[in-house]
Amino acid sequence: MVIWGVRDSNPLQGNSDLYLGSPGLFVNGFYDYYPLSYGEKYSNYPPENDQVINRLFDPRYLRIQIGDSDSATSFFDSKILDKNLDMQTGKLTETFEVTTPLQERFHLILESFASLADKRLYGIQYTILPLNFTGPITITKSHPAVNQLSRTSVNDVRVKESEGLLHGWPLKDTVIPAMVITTSRSQQALTAAWKLDQVNEDVQVNQLSAEVPGYQLKVAPQKNTPIQFSFMYGLSAISTNLAAADQDLLTTVAESEFQPELEHSTKKWQFFWQHSDVEIDGDPDVQNSLRFNLFQLNQSAGRDGLTNIPAKGLTGNGYGGQYFWDTEIFMLPFFIYTQPQTARKLLQFRVQTMDLAVQQARDLGFAAGATFAWRTINGREASSYWPAGLAQFHINADIAYAVDHYVTVTGDQQFLRDGGL
């Protein structure tokens, strides 16, 4: 199972340094690592640091050409007029007012959602409304840069700079544009695919070359006449087979449509709110903030027993996107009482990393027992801060407490027999 999130950003940015933004696509558990260096290194210091990938392509990206103005090579001034996240449906709606260097003005409206029904899918619908000009407009939807440019804060030590490089190649002889993306050191792979779902009848559509997969749309709209088109994206589950494409994903994306998939996802959100909403009277701001936190928790949790909850969810690479004991103490109780099957999967992550915890205890000189990692993605300790990292033995107690809490509430004795004990 793949769980991924797309960070809100300027859709015209792409890999251009003309725009001040930080686009991001984050896949839970899709990481790479790099060697840690120390002034004085001892045998039990962690050798490597896990880091969630912060360089995947931006599925929001759109290249727009109007006459001699090209958003990829010249700055298009844009300001946000409206933004709304409908937490009942999971749909984000944004309206930008955009002005080209030659003063052509248009509204760019985005409607997007990450599917809760099929977590491999992401849908985005664009509407372009010319305000003071009449076409032609050329729209390109491709992702030639695998290693997405993403600015990081130089003043926040919690935000990790991008490390390592991704490798990607287009898949040929496919019905829809697709590519395989791999990491350098962790040797993980993803298949990514996208397709044009629907478009106005008067839009000319061409597929780009096999070397740079994607679409080019051409239209000559009248002033105040909207152009609308949508795309469906898909990402496969993380694999270690670097050569193989996920054929099931290609078929699923090819058959998917924006509106039906949004409706399927909306039904999942409605079920979630029926069982998980917490109502507070008298303070609408607190109520809204609480619901947004529930929304983020539900989106970010790993549900395959191999992944957990990244430090910043699926919205950024703060703390390298690593998993902390915050899951067991602060977040797991929510799932224990509302989605016990998800709580079980989150605890299963600790079960499946037990061997590494035992090895870490031996590395620290203990003849018995285990010491779970403070910061990790793959189960090994990834913190370079000694003694803040390896000295935090309370992680063991946090996990033991969480297992007891889960079993006490659910009565799941089978989980104890399958690794909880």
Side-chain angles (χ1 to χ4, degrees), residues 83-132:
K83 181 181 294 188
N84 177 66
L85 172 63
D86 184 348
M87 290 187 285
Q88 292 291 326
T89 66
K91 186 176 76 169
L92 174 67
T93 303
E94 308 155 271
T95 301
F96 296 82
E97 183 176 274
V98 185
T99 305
T100 73
L102 298 179
Q103 299 304 302
E104 295 105 341
R105 292 192 304 113
F106 61 94
H107 283 170
L108 176 60
I109 303 168
L110 278 68
E111 299 170 85
S112 58
F113 70 98
S115 176
L116 209 60
D118 185 338
K119 296 180 177 62
R120 298 173 299 172
L121 299 180
Y122 172 84
I124 185 164
Q125 182 166 272
Y126 302 89
T127 302
I128 296 177
L129 179 65
L131 298 178
N132 66 348

Side-chain angles (χ1 to χ4, degrees), residues 375-396:
R375 300 175 58 166
T376 187
I377 294 178
N378 60 18
R380 290 187 290 267
E381 180 59 63
S383 171
S384 62
Y385 298 105
W386 178 268
L390 295 176
Q392 298 212 32
F393 296 113
H394 69 87
I395 309 303
N396 286 352

Side-chain angles (χ1 to χ4, degrees), residues 121-199:
L121 299 180
Y122 172 84
I124 185 164
Q125 182 166 272
Y126 302 89
T127 302
I128 296 177
L129 179 65
L131 298 178
N132 66 348
F133 68 95
T134 297
I137 300 176
T138 300
I139 299 154
T140 305
K141 188 68 168 169
S142 67
H143 304 286
V146 174
N147 292 285
Q148 173 74 49
L149 174 67
S150 184
R151 293 176 176 82
T152 56
S153 171
V154 296
N155 299 318
D156 191 340
V157 297
R158 298 167 300 176
V159 179
K160 297 293 184 181
E161 293 184 8
S162 298
E163 295 280 350
L165 291 175
L166 295 172
H167 307 283
W169 58 90
L171 294 173
K172 299 181 180 180
D173 301 322
T174 57
V175 177
I176 58 175
M179 57 183 171
V180 171
I181 303 170
T182 66
T183 59
S184 297
R185 297 186 179 95
S186 65
Q187 293 294 283
Q188 294 180 321
L190 290 173
T191 301
W194 62 102
K195 76 144 191 176
L196 178 64
D197 175 33
Q198 59 184 25
V199 67

Side-chain angles (χ1 to χ4, degrees), residues 4-317:
W4 52 301
V6 180
R7 184 164 56 201
D8 191 12
S9 62
N10 189 327
L12 302 179
Q13 183 168 350
N15 244 39
S16 172
D17 58 4
L18 297 170
Y19 305 91
L20 296 177
S22 186
L25 186 162
F26 301 93
V27 179
N28 196 346
F30 191 60
Y31 76 99
D32 213 346
Y33 54 80
Y34 60 93
L36 290 170
S37 60
Y38 303 89
E40 294 182 7
K41 185 180 183 228
Y42 295 89
S43 61
N44 53 13
Y45 278 24
E48 297 157 345
N49 192 345
D50 306 339
Q51 182 174 313
V52 69
I53 298 297
N54 192 34
R55 293 185 171 188
L56 285 164
F57 67 93
D58 179 14
R60 294 166 54 86
Y61 173 58
L62 202 65
R63 179 181 179 182
I64 299 177
Q65 296 165 270
I66 301 174
D68 294 329
S69 300
D70 185 342
S71 65
T73 58
S74 56
F75 177 68
F76 281 29
D77 187 28
S78 60
K79 60 181 179 180
I80 297 175
L81 300 181
D82 184 62
K83 181 181 294 188
N84 177 66
L85 172 63
D86 184 348
M87 290 187 285
Q88 292 291 326
T89 66
K91 186 176 76 169
L92 174 67
T93 303
E94 308 155 271
T95 301
F96 296 82
E97 183 176 274
V98 185
T99 305
T100 73
L102 298 179
Q103 299 304 302
E104 295 105 341
R105 292 192 304 113
F106 61 94
H107 283 170
L108 176 60
I109 303 168
L110 278 68
E111 299 170 85
S112 58
F113 70 98
S115 176
L116 209 60
D118 185 338
K119 296 180 177 62
R120 298 173 299 172
L121 299 180
Y122 172 84
I124 185 164
Q125 182 166 272
Y126 302 89
T127 302
I128 296 177
L129 179 65
L131 298 178
N132 66 348
F133 68 95
T134 297
I137 300 176
T138 300
I139 299 154
T140 305
K141 188 68 168 169
S142 67
H143 304 286
V146 174
N147 292 285
Q148 173 74 49
L149 174 67
S150 184
R151 293 176 176 82
T152 56
S153 171
V154 296
N155 299 318
D156 191 340
V157 297
R158 298 167 300 176
V159 179
K160 297 293 184 181
E161 293 184 8
S162 298
E163 295 280 350
L165 291 175
L166 295 172
H167 307 283
W169 58 90
L171 294 173
K172 299 181 180 180
D173 301 322
T174 57
V175 177
I176 58 175
M179 57 183 171
V180 171
I181 303 170
T182 66
T183 59
S184 297
R185 297 186 179 95
S186 65
Q187 293 294 283
Q188 294 180 321
L190 290 173
T191 301
W194 62 102
K195 76 144 191 176
L196 178 64
D197 175 33
Q198 59 184 25
V199 67
N200 294 41
E201 293 182 357
D202 56 348
V203 176
Q204 176 186 338
V205 179
N206 298 306
Q207 283 215 35
L208 300 178
S209 67
E211 287 69 29
V212 184
Y215 297 91
Q216 188 177 79
L217 284 61
K218 294 185 177 181
V219 64
Q222 299 297 312
K223 183 173 63 174
N224 295 321
T225 301
I227 315 158
Q228 190 172 78
F229 49 96
S230 59
F231 289 88
M232 290 300 302
Y233 277 81
L235 280 182
S236 67
I238 298 169
S239 169
T240 55
N241 188 344
L242 305 188
D246 187 336
Q247 296 299 327
D248 180 62
L249 175 82
L250 297 178
T251 300
T252 299
V253 175
E255 296 176 351
S256 64
E257 297 179 2
F258 182 90
Q259 194 59 41
E261 293 299 338
L262 176 59
E263 292 171 1
H264 296 330
S265 183
T266 296
K267 290 179 181 178
K268 292 291 185 179
W269 276 114
Q270 290 173 345
F271 182 84
F272 167 78
W273 289 116
Q274 288 172 1
H275 293 82
S276 303
D277 193 19
V278 178
E279 296 184 5
I280 297 177
D281 293 330
D283 195 327
D285 290 338
V286 171
Q287 173 72 90
N288 202 42
S289 297
L290 177 58
R291 284 178 173 152
F292 184 65
N293 277 272
L294 299 180
F295 183 90
Q296 291 288 349
L297 277 173
N298 192 49
Q299 280 196 317
S300 300
R303 291 176 166 87
D304 56 5
L306 304 175
T307 54
N308 208 267
I309 302 179
K312 293 292 183 180
L314 296 174
T315 66
N317 67 325

